[in-house]
Amino acid sequence: MTLQHFNALNQEKQRWWVLERGVYLCNRKTRDFTVFLFQLDGFYIEIYFYNADDTVFLIKSFDDMDSLEPYLTQINLTPLLQ
């Protein structure tokens, strides 16, 4: 699966690929959404769920490291420094 192929799929098929083949990495919360981050075949996928009713608002895919910045504060570096 490539990023371009994933982006060409409809949302239902994107969800299937993420749930069946994606690797869950972490999540973050905003005022309105809980965002789950997955990795799939060399790219990343965020699934945005509305906090109010747990419905999917958006599935966003990317392969650039800058888009991972909101998750960097969740990485515990302490074990690496000992």
Side-chain angles (χ1 to χ4, degrees):
M1 172 69 66
T2 66
L3 177 62
Q4 293 77 17
H5 184 234
F6 182 84
N7 286 336
L9 300 173
N10 65 37
Q11 190 178 76
E12 182 180 327
K13 289 181 181 177
Q14 286 179 340
R15 273 190 296 189
W16 183 90
W17 273 94
V18 171
L19 295 176
E20 291 296 318
R21 301 270 320 273
V23 176
Y24 169 79
L25 299 175
C26 61
N27 67 70
R28 62 186 173 92
K29 291 187 181 270
T30 69
R31 187 174 63 100
D32 296 319
F33 303 103
T34 299
V35 185
F36 291 88
L37 178 67
F38 295 85
Q39 189 273 332
L40 174 67
D41 295 339
F43 60 94
Y44 301 94
I45 300 130
E46 290 179 316
I47 301 181
Y48 288 70
F49 285 89
Y50 276 116
N51 289 332
D53 62 7
D54 287 330
T55 58
V56 173
F57 170 73
L58 173 69
I59 297 177
K60 176 183 168 189
S61 58
F62 57 90
D63 60 1
D64 64 286
M65 294 299 158
D66 291 339
S67 296
L68 293 174
E69 194 266 326
Y71 301 95
L72 296 180
T73 59
Q74 297 183 38
I75 299 172
N76 181 3
L77 298 177
T78 303
L80 300 174
L81 300 173
Q82 296 177 354

